[in-house]
PDB file of all heavy atoms in Angstrom:
ATOM      1  N   GLY A   1       3.508   9.128   6.684  1.00 98.00           N
ATOM      2  CA  GLY A   1       3.319   9.398   5.182  1.00 98.00           C
ATOM      3  C   GLY A   1       2.124   8.597   4.717  1.00 98.00           C
ATOM      4  O   GLY A   1       1.405   9.124   3.881  1.00 98.00           O
ATOM      5  N   LEU A   2       1.979   7.275   5.105  1.00 98.00           N
ATOM      6  CA  LEU A   2       0.891   6.558   4.704  1.00 98.00           C
ATOM      7  C   LEU A   2      -0.560   7.191   5.105  1.00 98.00           C
ATOM      8  O   LEU A   2      -1.468   7.233   4.305  1.00 98.00           O
ATOM      9  CB  LEU A   2       0.936   5.149   5.142  1.00 98.00           C
ATOM     10  CG  LEU A   2      -0.209   4.296   5.014  1.00 98.00           C
ATOM     11  CD1 LEU A   2      -0.625   3.922   3.566  1.00 98.00           C
ATOM     12  CD2 LEU A   2      -0.198   2.950   5.711  1.00 98.00           C
ATOM     13  N   CYS A   3      -0.578   7.535   6.371  1.00 97.00           N
ATOM     14  CA  CYS A   3      -1.847   8.130   6.919  1.00 97.00           C
ATOM     15  C   CYS A   3      -2.192   9.434   6.150  1.00 97.00           C
ATOM     16  O   CYS A   3      -3.448   9.654   5.910  1.00 97.00           O
ATOM     17  CB  CYS A   3      -1.628   8.419   8.419  1.00 97.00           C
ATOM     18  SG  CYS A   3      -1.511   6.797   9.459  1.00 97.00           S
ATOM     19  N   ASP A   4      -1.142  10.152   5.905  1.00 97.00           N
ATOM     20  CA  ASP A   4      -1.489  11.593   5.282  1.00 97.00           C
ATOM     21  C   ASP A   4      -1.820  11.206   3.768  1.00 97.00           C
ATOM     22  O   ASP A   4      -2.479  12.073   3.165  1.00 97.00           O
ATOM     23  CB  ASP A   4      -0.401  12.419   5.333  1.00 97.00           C
ATOM     24  CG  ASP A   4      -0.336  13.081   6.764  1.00 97.00           C
ATOM     25  OD1 ASP A   4      -1.241  12.599   7.573  1.00 97.00           O
ATOM     26  OD2 ASP A   4       0.474  13.991   6.953  1.00 97.00           O
ATOM     27  N   TYR A   5      -1.290  10.177   3.234  1.00 97.00           N
ATOM     28  CA  TYR A   5      -1.624   9.829   1.770  1.00 97.00           C
ATOM     29  C   TYR A   5      -3.091   9.470   1.548  1.00 97.00           C
ATOM     30  O   TYR A   5      -3.705   9.917   0.571  1.00 97.00           O
ATOM     31  CB  TYR A   5      -0.761   8.686   1.198  1.00 97.00           C
ATOM     32  CG  TYR A   5      -0.806   8.495  -0.167  1.00 97.00           C
ATOM     33  CD1 TYR A   5       0.215   9.092  -1.034  1.00 97.00           C
ATOM     34  CD2 TYR A   5      -1.724   7.574  -0.708  1.00 97.00           C
ATOM     35  CE1 TYR A   5       0.130   8.750  -2.395  1.00 97.00           C
ATOM     36  CE2 TYR A   5      -1.845   7.408  -2.134  1.00 97.00           C
ATOM     37  CZ  TYR A   5      -0.897   8.003  -2.965  1.00 97.00           C
ATOM     38  OH  TYR A   5      -0.977   7.718  -4.336  1.00 97.00           O
ATOM     39  N   LEU A   6      -3.584   8.757   2.544  1.00 97.00           N
ATOM     40  CA  LEU A   6      -4.935   8.361   2.472  1.00 97.00           C
ATOM     41  C   LEU A   6      -5.890   9.455   2.874  1.00 97.00           C
ATOM     42  O   LEU A   6      -5.631  10.286   3.618  1.00 97.00           O
ATOM     43  CB  LEU A   6      -5.192   7.122   3.427  1.00 97.00           C
ATOM     44  CG  LEU A   6      -4.320   5.822   3.096  1.00 97.00           C
ATOM     45  CD1 LEU A   6      -4.517   4.858   4.113  1.00 97.00           C
ATOM     46  CD2 LEU A   6      -4.671   5.291   1.640  1.00 97.00           C
ATOM     47  N   PRO A   7      -7.119   9.387   2.233  1.00 95.00           N
ATOM     48  CA  PRO A   7      -8.188  10.430   2.508  1.00 95.00           C
ATOM     49  C   PRO A   7      -8.809  10.236   3.945  1.00 95.00           C
ATOM     50  O   PRO A   7      -8.519   9.180   4.565  1.00 95.00           O
ATOM     51  CB  PRO A   7      -9.294  10.234   1.464  1.00 95.00           C
ATOM     52  CG  PRO A   7      -9.103   8.657   1.094  1.00 95.00           C
ATOM     53  CD  PRO A   7      -7.600   8.471   1.143  1.00 95.00           C
ATOM     54  N   ASP A   8      -9.452  11.249   4.282  1.00 94.00           N
ATOM     55  CA  ASP A   8     -10.023  11.211   5.698  1.00 94.00           C
ATOM     56  C   ASP A   8     -11.054  10.116   5.852  1.00 94.00           C
ATOM     57  O   ASP A   8     -11.365   9.723   6.973  1.00 94.00           O
ATOM     58  CB  ASP A   8     -10.669  12.596   6.045  1.00 94.00           C
ATOM     59  CG  ASP A   8      -9.631  13.698   6.232  1.00 94.00           C
ATOM     60  OD1 ASP A   8      -8.497  13.377   6.377  1.00 94.00           O
ATOM     61  OD2 ASP A   8     -10.009  14.879   5.990  1.00 94.00           O
ATOM     62  N   ASP A   9     -11.679   9.693   4.810  1.00 95.00           N
ATOM     63  CA  ASP A   9     -12.749   8.711   4.791  1.00 95.00           C
ATOM     64  C   ASP A   9     -12.087   7.216   4.720  1.00 95.00           C
ATOM     65  O   ASP A   9     -12.847   6.297   4.512  1.00 95.00           O
ATOM     66  CB  ASP A   9     -13.828   8.878   3.879  1.00 95.00           C
ATOM     67  CG  ASP A   9     -13.402   8.853   2.481  1.00 95.00           C
ATOM     68  OD1 ASP A   9     -12.177   8.649   2.207  1.00 95.00           O
ATOM     69  OD2 ASP A   9     -14.312   8.893   1.548  1.00 95.00           O
ATOM     70  N   ALA A  10     -10.837   7.045   4.869  1.00 97.00           N
ATOM     71  CA  ALA A  10     -10.170   5.764   4.809  1.00 97.00           C
ATOM     72  C   ALA A  10     -10.114   5.271   6.238  1.00 97.00           C
ATOM     73  O   ALA A  10     -10.040   6.019   7.171  1.00 97.00           O
ATOM     74  CB  ALA A  10      -8.815   5.914   4.184  1.00 97.00           C
ATOM     75  N   LEU A  11     -10.093   3.892   6.316  1.00 97.00           N
ATOM     76  CA  LEU A  11     -10.075   3.157   7.631  1.00 97.00           C
ATOM     77  C   LEU A  11      -8.726   2.408   7.587  1.00 97.00           C
ATOM     78  O   LEU A  11      -8.516   1.550   6.804  1.00 97.00           O
ATOM     79  CB  LEU A  11     -11.191   2.268   7.827  1.00 97.00           C
ATOM     80  CG  LEU A  11     -11.325   1.351   8.973  1.00 97.00           C
ATOM     81  CD1 LEU A  11     -11.381   2.281  10.229  1.00 97.00           C
ATOM     82  CD2 LEU A  11     -12.497   0.434   8.849  1.00 97.00           C
ATOM     83  N   ILE A  12      -7.886   2.669   8.577  1.00 97.00           N
ATOM     84  CA  ILE A  12      -6.611   2.104   8.698  1.00 97.00           C
ATOM     85  C   ILE A  12      -6.427   1.302  10.054  1.00 97.00           C
ATOM     86  O   ILE A  12      -6.505   1.920  11.075  1.00 97.00           O
ATOM     87  CB  ILE A  12      -5.471   3.139   8.639  1.00 97.00           C
ATOM     88  CG1 ILE A  12      -5.685   4.033   7.358  1.00 97.00           C
ATOM     89  CG2 ILE A  12      -4.128   2.424   8.515  1.00 97.00           C
ATOM     90  CD1 ILE A  12      -4.762   5.180   7.393  1.00 97.00           C
ATOM     91  N   GLU A  13      -6.307   0.068   9.889  1.00 97.00           N
ATOM     92  CA  GLU A  13      -5.805  -0.800  11.079  1.00 97.00           C
ATOM     93  C   GLU A  13      -4.377  -1.044  10.916  1.00 97.00           C
ATOM     94  O   GLU A  13      -3.892  -1.733  10.172  1.00 97.00           O
ATOM     95  CB  GLU A  13      -6.653  -2.114  11.063  1.00 97.00           C
ATOM     96  CG  GLU A  13      -6.220  -2.994  12.268  1.00 97.00           C
ATOM     97  CD  GLU A  13      -6.894  -4.419  12.257  1.00 97.00           C
ATOM     98  OE1 GLU A  13      -7.755  -4.502  11.462  1.00 97.00           O
ATOM     99  OE2 GLU A  13      -6.357  -5.201  13.024  1.00 97.00           O
ATOM    100  N   TYR A  14      -3.618  -0.301  11.800  1.00 98.00           N
ATOM    101  CA  TYR A  14      -2.298  -0.104  11.609  1.00 98.00           C
ATOM    102  C   TYR A  14      -1.500  -0.858  12.725  1.00 98.00           C
ATOM    103  O   TYR A  14      -1.686  -0.671  13.927  1.00 98.00           O
ATOM    104  CB  TYR A  14      -1.748   1.290  11.672  1.00 98.00           C
ATOM    105  CG  TYR A  14      -0.291   1.495  11.679  1.00 98.00           C
ATOM    106  CD1 TYR A  14       0.526   1.471  10.385  1.00 98.00           C
ATOM    107  CD2 TYR A  14       0.335   1.783  12.814  1.00 98.00           C
ATOM    108  CE1 TYR A  14       1.876   1.641  10.521  1.00 98.00           C
ATOM    109  CE2 TYR A  14       1.766   1.981  12.866  1.00 98.00           C
ATOM    110  CZ  TYR A  14       2.536   1.935  11.658  1.00 98.00           C
ATOM    111  OH  TYR A  14       3.878   2.116  11.845  1.00 98.00           O
ATOM    112  N   HIS A  15      -0.469  -1.861  12.365  1.00 97.00           N
ATOM    113  CA  HIS A  15       0.289  -2.602  13.404  1.00 97.00           C
ATOM    114  C   HIS A  15       1.665  -2.241  13.066  1.00 97.00           C
ATOM    115  O   HIS A  15       2.205  -2.622  11.963  1.00 97.00           O
ATOM    116  CB  HIS A  15      -0.067  -4.067  13.195  1.00 97.00           C
ATOM    117  CG  HIS A  15      -1.365  -4.438  13.576  1.00 97.00           C
ATOM    118  ND1 HIS A  15      -1.766  -4.826  14.981  1.00 97.00           N
ATOM    119  CD2 HIS A  15      -2.640  -4.548  13.102  1.00 97.00           C
ATOM    120  CE1 HIS A  15      -3.008  -5.097  15.021  1.00 97.00           C
ATOM    121  NE2 HIS A  15      -3.558  -4.965  13.893  1.00 97.00           N
ATOM    122  N   ALA A  16       2.356  -1.713  14.152  1.00 98.00           N
ATOM    123  CA  ALA A  16       3.862  -1.506  13.933  1.00 98.00           C
ATOM    124  C   ALA A  16       4.548  -2.561  14.746  1.00 98.00           C
ATOM    125  O   ALA A  16       4.117  -2.952  15.788  1.00 98.00           O
ATOM    126  CB  ALA A  16       4.096  -0.107  14.476  1.00 98.00           C
ATOM    127  N   VAL A  17       5.776  -2.995  14.169  1.00 97.00           N
ATOM    128  CA  VAL A  17       6.527  -3.826  14.878  1.00 97.00           C
ATOM    129  C   VAL A  17       7.911  -3.005  15.016  1.00 97.00           C
ATOM    130  O   VAL A  17       8.696  -2.785  14.148  1.00 97.00           O
ATOM    131  CB  VAL A  17       6.881  -5.162  14.182  1.00 97.00           C
ATOM    132  CG1 VAL A  17       7.989  -5.999  14.835  1.00 97.00           C
ATOM    133  CG2 VAL A  17       5.675  -5.862  13.853  1.00 97.00           C
ATOM    134  N   GLU A  18       8.184  -2.701  16.338  1.00 97.00           N
ATOM    135  CA  GLU A  18       9.303  -1.970  16.626  1.00 97.00           C
ATOM    136  C   GLU A  18       9.863  -2.191  18.096  1.00 97.00           C
ATOM    137  O   GLU A  18       9.095  -1.804  19.072  1.00 97.00           O
ATOM    138  CB  GLU A  18       9.095  -0.445  16.484  1.00 97.00           C
ATOM    139  CG  GLU A  18      10.239   0.531  16.805  1.00 97.00           C
ATOM    140  CD  GLU A  18      11.484   0.084  16.068  1.00 97.00           C
ATOM    141  OE1 GLU A  18      11.534   0.113  14.765  1.00 97.00           O
ATOM    142  OE2 GLU A  18      12.539  -0.147  16.651  1.00 97.00           O
ATOM    143  N   PRO A  19      10.983  -2.841  18.237  1.00 96.00           N
ATOM    144  CA  PRO A  19      11.370  -3.226  19.608  1.00 96.00           C
ATOM    145  C   PRO A  19      12.194  -2.159  20.356  1.00 96.00           C
ATOM    146  O   PRO A  19      12.395  -2.259  21.587  1.00 96.00           O
ATOM    147  CB  PRO A  19      12.298  -4.459  19.347  1.00 96.00           C
ATOM    148  CG  PRO A  19      12.799  -4.252  18.048  1.00 96.00           C
ATOM    149  CD  PRO A  19      11.816  -3.417  17.249  1.00 96.00           C
ATOM    150  N   SER A  20      12.699  -1.112  19.627  1.00 95.00           N
ATOM    151  CA  SER A  20      13.635  -0.235  20.206  1.00 95.00           C
ATOM    152  C   SER A  20      12.923   1.071  20.897  1.00 95.00           C
ATOM    153  O   SER A  20      11.787   1.162  20.766  1.00 95.00           O
ATOM    154  CB  SER A  20      14.533   0.225  19.114  1.00 95.00           C
ATOM    155  OG  SER A  20      13.956   1.172  18.271  1.00 95.00           O
ATOM    156  N   ALA A  21      13.715   1.950  21.312  1.00 96.00           N
ATOM    157  CA  ALA A  21      13.174   3.167  21.870  1.00 96.00           C
ATOM    158  C   ALA A  21      12.635   4.001  20.858  1.00 96.00           C
ATOM    159  O   ALA A  21      11.928   4.986  21.259  1.00 96.00           O
ATOM    160  CB  ALA A  21      14.519   3.915  22.479  1.00 96.00           C
ATOM    161  N   ALA A  22      12.832   3.862  19.597  1.00 96.00           N
ATOM    162  CA  ALA A  22      12.045   4.574  18.560  1.00 96.00           C
ATOM    163  C   ALA A  22      10.603   4.306  18.722  1.00 96.00           C
ATOM    164  O   ALA A  22       9.765   5.193  18.218  1.00 96.00           O
ATOM    165  CB  ALA A  22      12.554   4.102  17.180  1.00 96.00           C
ATOM    166  N   ALA A  23      10.089   3.205  19.257  1.00 97.00           N
ATOM    167  CA  ALA A  23       8.674   3.123  19.467  1.00 97.00           C
ATOM    168  C   ALA A  23       8.083   4.136  20.348  1.00 97.00           C
ATOM    169  O   ALA A  23       6.949   4.402  20.225  1.00 97.00           O
ATOM    170  CB  ALA A  23       8.463   1.565  20.021  1.00 97.00           C
ATOM    171  N   ASP A  24       8.771   4.701  21.316  1.00 97.00           N
ATOM    172  CA  ASP A  24       8.249   5.816  22.010  1.00 97.00           C
ATOM    173  C   ASP A  24       7.901   7.086  21.304  1.00 97.00           C
ATOM    174  O   ASP A  24       6.812   7.644  21.422  1.00 97.00           O
ATOM    175  CB  ASP A  24       9.234   6.148  23.216  1.00 97.00           C
ATOM    176  CG  ASP A  24       9.400   5.096  24.285  1.00 97.00           C
ATOM    177  OD1 ASP A  24       8.502   4.247  24.363  1.00 97.00           O
ATOM    178  OD2 ASP A  24      10.676   4.820  24.754  1.00 97.00           O
ATOM    179  N   VAL A  25       8.828   7.363  20.352  1.00 97.00           N
ATOM    180  CA  VAL A  25       8.689   8.531  19.467  1.00 97.00           C
ATOM    181  C   VAL A  25       7.581   8.061  18.505  1.00 97.00           C
ATOM    182  O   VAL A  25       6.602   9.012  18.280  1.00 97.00           O
ATOM    183  CB  VAL A  25       9.883   8.757  18.640  1.00 97.00           C
ATOM    184  CG1 VAL A  25       9.583   9.939  17.578  1.00 97.00           C
ATOM    185  CG2 VAL A  25      11.043   9.130  19.598  1.00 97.00           C
ATOM    186  N   LEU A  26       7.459   6.823  18.067  1.00 98.00           N
ATOM    187  CA  LEU A  26       6.289   6.520  17.159  1.00 98.00           C
ATOM    188  C   LEU A  26       5.048   6.760  17.825  1.00 98.00           C
ATOM    189  O   LEU A  26       4.104   7.355  17.087  1.00 98.00           O
ATOM    190  CB  LEU A  26       6.583   5.063  16.794  1.00 98.00           C
ATOM    191  CG  LEU A  26       5.514   4.275  15.993  1.00 98.00           C
ATOM    192  CD1 LEU A  26       5.343   4.953  14.583  1.00 98.00           C
ATOM    193  CD2 LEU A  26       5.684   2.827  15.861  1.00 98.00           C
ATOM    194  N   GLU A  27       4.902   6.262  18.942  1.00 97.00           N
ATOM    195  CA  GLU A  27       3.522   6.340  19.652  1.00 97.00           C
ATOM    196  C   GLU A  27       3.165   7.724  19.769  1.00 97.00           C
ATOM    197  O   GLU A  27       1.986   8.176  19.756  1.00 97.00           O
ATOM    198  CB  GLU A  27       3.603   5.603  21.016  1.00 97.00           C
ATOM    199  CG  GLU A  27       3.618   4.029  20.919  1.00 97.00           C
ATOM    200  CD  GLU A  27       3.453   3.392  22.107  1.00 97.00           C
ATOM    201  OE1 GLU A  27       3.962   3.900  23.202  1.00 97.00           O
ATOM    202  OE2 GLU A  27       2.969   2.232  22.176  1.00 97.00           O
ATOM    203  N   GLU A  28       4.075   8.673  20.121  1.00 96.00           N
ATOM    204  CA  GLU A  28       3.779  10.022  20.367  1.00 96.00           C
ATOM    205  C   GLU A  28       3.232  10.706  19.003  1.00 96.00           C
ATOM    206  O   GLU A  28       2.241  11.419  18.977  1.00 96.00           O
ATOM    207  CB  GLU A  28       4.987  10.912  20.766  1.00 96.00           C
ATOM    208  CG  GLU A  28       5.500  10.555  22.127  1.00 96.00           C
ATOM    209  CD  GLU A  28       4.633  11.371  23.106  1.00 96.00           C
ATOM    210  OE1 GLU A  28       4.013  12.431  22.804  1.00 96.00           O
ATOM    211  OE2 GLU A  28       4.547  10.902  24.306  1.00 96.00           O
ATOM    212  N   LEU A  29       3.912  10.409  17.947  1.00 98.00           N
ATOM    213  CA  LEU A  29       3.541  11.026  16.656  1.00 98.00           C
ATOM    214  C   LEU A  29       2.267  10.358  16.024  1.00 98.00           C
ATOM    215  O   LEU A  29       1.428  10.988  15.450  1.00 98.00           O
ATOM    216  CB  LEU A  29       4.581  10.694  15.653  1.00 98.00           C
ATOM    217  CG  LEU A  29       5.891  11.533  15.965  1.00 98.00           C
ATOM    218  CD1 LEU A  29       7.011  11.150  14.942  1.00 98.00           C
ATOM    219  CD2 LEU A  29       5.669  12.961  15.948  1.00 98.00           C
ATOM    220  N   LEU A  30       2.075   9.082  16.352  1.00 98.00           N
ATOM    221  CA  LEU A  30       0.728   8.377  15.858  1.00 98.00           C
ATOM    222  C   LEU A  30      -0.500   9.060  16.527  1.00 98.00           C
ATOM    223  O   LEU A  30      -1.552   9.004  15.996  1.00 98.00           O
ATOM    224  CB  LEU A  30       0.785   6.964  16.262  1.00 98.00           C
ATOM    225  CG  LEU A  30       1.670   6.036  15.188  1.00 98.00           C
ATOM    226  CD1 LEU A  30       1.619   4.556  15.774  1.00 98.00           C
ATOM    227  CD2 LEU A  30       1.183   6.050  13.771  1.00 98.00           C
ATOM    228  N   ALA A  31      -0.318   9.738  17.689  1.00 96.00           N
ATOM    229  CA  ALA A  31      -1.378  10.384  18.382  1.00 96.00           C
ATOM    230  C   ALA A  31      -1.861  11.528  17.617  1.00 96.00           C
ATOM    231  O   ALA A  31      -3.025  11.993  17.809  1.00 96.00           O
ATOM    232  CB  ALA A  31      -0.899  10.721  19.812  1.00 96.00           C
ATOM    233  N   GLU A  32      -1.134  12.024  16.602  1.00 96.00           N
ATOM    234  CA  GLU A  32      -1.539  13.126  15.867  1.00 96.00           C
ATOM    235  C   GLU A  32      -2.309  12.638  14.560  1.00 96.00           C
ATOM    236  O   GLU A  32      -2.769  13.626  13.753  1.00 96.00           O
ATOM    237  CB  GLU A  32      -0.317  13.979  15.434  1.00 96.00           C
ATOM    238  CG  GLU A  32       0.398  14.696  16.535  1.00 96.00           C
ATOM    239  CD  GLU A  32      -0.620  15.749  17.171  1.00 96.00           C
ATOM    240  OE1 GLU A  32      -1.296  16.423  16.402  1.00 96.00           O
ATOM    241  OE2 GLU A  32      -0.589  16.001  18.328  1.00 96.00           O
ATOM    242  N   THR A  33      -2.389  11.484  14.347  1.00 96.00           N
ATOM    243  CA  THR A  33      -3.111  10.989  13.085  1.00 96.00           C
ATOM    244  C   THR A  33      -4.571  11.190  13.350  1.00 96.00           C
ATOM    245  O   THR A  33      -5.038  11.355  14.420  1.00 96.00           O
ATOM    246  CB  THR A  33      -2.664   9.580  12.739  1.00 96.00           C
ATOM    247  OG1 THR A  33      -2.853   8.725  13.769  1.00 96.00           O
ATOM    248  CG2 THR A  33      -1.171   9.464  12.332  1.00 96.00           C
ATOM    249  N   GLY A  34      -5.369  10.790  12.210  1.00 94.00           N
ATOM    250  CA  GLY A  34      -6.756  10.897  12.243  1.00 94.00           C
ATOM    251  C   GLY A  34      -7.602   9.960  13.110  1.00 94.00           C
ATOM    252  O   GLY A  34      -7.035   8.978  13.528  1.00 94.00           O
ATOM    253  N   ARG A  35      -8.880  10.288  13.343  1.00 95.00           N
ATOM    254  CA  ARG A  35      -9.535   9.383  14.215  1.00 95.00           C
ATOM    255  C   ARG A  35      -9.889   7.976  13.671  1.00 95.00           C
ATOM    256  O   ARG A  35     -10.216   7.119  14.240  1.00 95.00           O
ATOM    257  CB  ARG A  35     -10.998  10.092  14.439  1.00 95.00           C
ATOM    258  CG  ARG A  35     -11.889  10.302  13.220  1.00 95.00           C
ATOM    259  CD  ARG A  35     -13.337  10.792  13.623  1.00 95.00           C
ATOM    260  NE  ARG A  35     -13.285  12.067  14.249  1.00 95.00           N
ATOM    261  CZ  ARG A  35     -13.451  13.141  13.547  1.00 95.00           C
ATOM    262  NH1 ARG A  35     -13.512  13.113  12.225  1.00 95.00           N
ATOM    263  NH2 ARG A  35     -13.532  14.363  14.196  1.00 95.00           N
ATOM    264  N   ASN A  36      -9.694   7.810  12.296  1.00 97.00           N
ATOM    265  CA  ASN A  36      -9.865   6.632  11.727  1.00 97.00           C
ATOM    266  C   ASN A  36      -8.649   5.813  11.447  1.00 97.00           C
ATOM    267  O   ASN A  36      -8.733   4.821  10.666  1.00 97.00           O
ATOM    268  CB  ASN A  36     -10.724   6.779  10.323  1.00 97.00           C
ATOM    269  CG  ASN A  36     -12.064   7.367  10.553  1.00 97.00           C
ATOM    270  OD1 ASN A  36     -12.854   6.866  11.422  1.00 97.00           O
ATOM    271  ND2 ASN A  36     -12.416   8.407   9.899  1.00 97.00           N
ATOM    272  N   VAL A  37      -7.647   6.204  12.203  1.00 97.00           N
ATOM    273  CA  VAL A  37      -6.369   5.431  12.158  1.00 97.00           C
ATOM    274  C   VAL A  37      -6.349   4.689  13.494  1.00 97.00           C
ATOM    275  O   VAL A  37      -6.390   5.294  14.625  1.00 97.00           O
ATOM    276  CB  VAL A  37      -5.156   6.310  12.120  1.00 97.00           C
ATOM    277  CG1 VAL A  37      -3.767   5.506  12.110  1.00 97.00           C
ATOM    278  CG2 VAL A  37      -5.198   7.017  10.764  1.00 97.00           C
ATOM    279  N   HIS A  38      -6.253   3.350  13.467  1.00 97.00           N
ATOM    280  CA  HIS A  38      -6.349   2.499  14.704  1.00 97.00           C
ATOM    281  C   HIS A  38      -4.978   1.876  14.869  1.00 97.00           C
ATOM    282  O   HIS A  38      -4.750   0.822  14.333  1.00 97.00           O
ATOM    283  CB  HIS A  38      -7.488   1.560  14.649  1.00 97.00           C
ATOM    284  CG  HIS A  38      -8.720   2.283  14.400  1.00 97.00           C
ATOM    285  ND1 HIS A  38      -9.537   2.849  15.456  1.00 97.00           N
ATOM    286  CD2 HIS A  38      -9.483   2.609  13.286  1.00 97.00           C
ATOM    287  CE1 HIS A  38     -10.653   3.324  15.136  1.00 97.00           C
ATOM    288  NE2 HIS A  38     -10.646   3.166  13.730  1.00 97.00           N
ATOM    289  N   PRO A  39      -3.986   2.526  15.603  1.00 97.00           N
ATOM    290  CA  PRO A  39      -2.710   1.912  15.648  1.00 97.00           C
ATOM    291  C   PRO A  39      -2.447   0.987  16.883  1.00 97.00           C
ATOM    292  O   PRO A  39      -3.105   1.182  17.903  1.00 97.00           O
ATOM    293  CB  PRO A  39      -1.825   3.169  15.781  1.00 97.00           C
ATOM    294  CG  PRO A  39      -2.696   4.186  16.546  1.00 97.00           C
ATOM    295  CD  PRO A  39      -4.099   3.812  16.168  1.00 97.00           C
ATOM    296  N   THR A  40      -1.597   0.082  16.709  1.00 97.00           N
ATOM    297  CA  THR A  40      -1.119  -0.935  17.672  1.00 97.00           C
ATOM    298  C   THR A  40       0.401  -1.057  17.558  1.00 97.00           C
ATOM    299  O   THR A  40       0.826  -1.385  16.393  1.00 97.00           O
ATOM    300  CB  THR A  40      -1.798  -2.205  17.718  1.00 97.00           C
ATOM    301  OG1 THR A  40      -3.225  -2.116  17.752  1.00 97.00           O
ATOM    302  CG2 THR A  40      -1.291  -3.139  18.787  1.00 97.00           C
ATOM    303  N   VAL A  41       1.114  -0.822  18.538  1.00 97.00           N
ATOM    304  CA  VAL A  41       2.651  -1.009  18.408  1.00 97.00           C
ATOM    305  C   VAL A  41       3.009  -2.202  19.152  1.00 97.00           C
ATOM    306  O   VAL A  41       2.650  -2.411  20.400  1.00 97.00           O
ATOM    307  CB  VAL A  41       3.251   0.328  19.022  1.00 97.00           C
ATOM    308  CG1 VAL A  41       4.862   0.071  18.974  1.00 97.00           C
ATOM    309  CG2 VAL A  41       2.997   1.493  18.313  1.00 97.00           C
ATOM    310  N   HIS A  42       3.569  -3.148  18.390  1.00 97.00           N
ATOM    311  CA  HIS A  42       4.107  -4.411  18.989  1.00 97.00           C
ATOM    312  C   HIS A  42       5.635  -4.200  19.226  1.00 97.00           C
ATOM    313  O   HIS A  42       6.368  -4.231  18.290  1.00 97.00           O
ATOM    314  CB  HIS A  42       3.930  -5.532  18.012  1.00 97.00           C
ATOM    315  CG  HIS A  42       2.432  -5.704  17.636  1.00 97.00           C
ATOM    316  ND1 HIS A  42       1.641  -6.605  18.227  1.00 97.00           N
ATOM    317  CD2 HIS A  42       1.740  -5.071  16.612  1.00 97.00           C
ATOM    318  CE1 HIS A  42       0.383  -6.472  17.708  1.00 97.00           C
ATOM    319  NE2 HIS A  42       0.411  -5.587  16.705  1.00 97.00           N
TER     320      HIS A  42
END
């Protein structure tokens, strides 16, 4: 929701904290975000 709220010319350094199996789903879905979203899952 955050990534889609921001315009395409925004720069997002995104850090997720998620210890559970939900992180596998999260990483799959983050792959669909824009080129200027830079995610790291902890």
Side-chain angles (χ1 to χ4, degrees):
L2 169 66
C3 292
D4 282 6
Y5 187 95
L6 299 173
D8 292 339
D9 63 352
L11 177 63
I12 311 171
E13 180 185 346
Y14 172 82
H15 293 269
V17 176
E18 179 53 61
S20 76
D24 296 330
V25 180
L26 173 65
E27 289 186 330
E28 288 283 338
L29 294 174
L30 285 173
E32 290 296 320
T33 57
R35 63 169 66 89
N36 293 309
V37 177
H38 302 278
T40 303
V41 178
H42 305 267

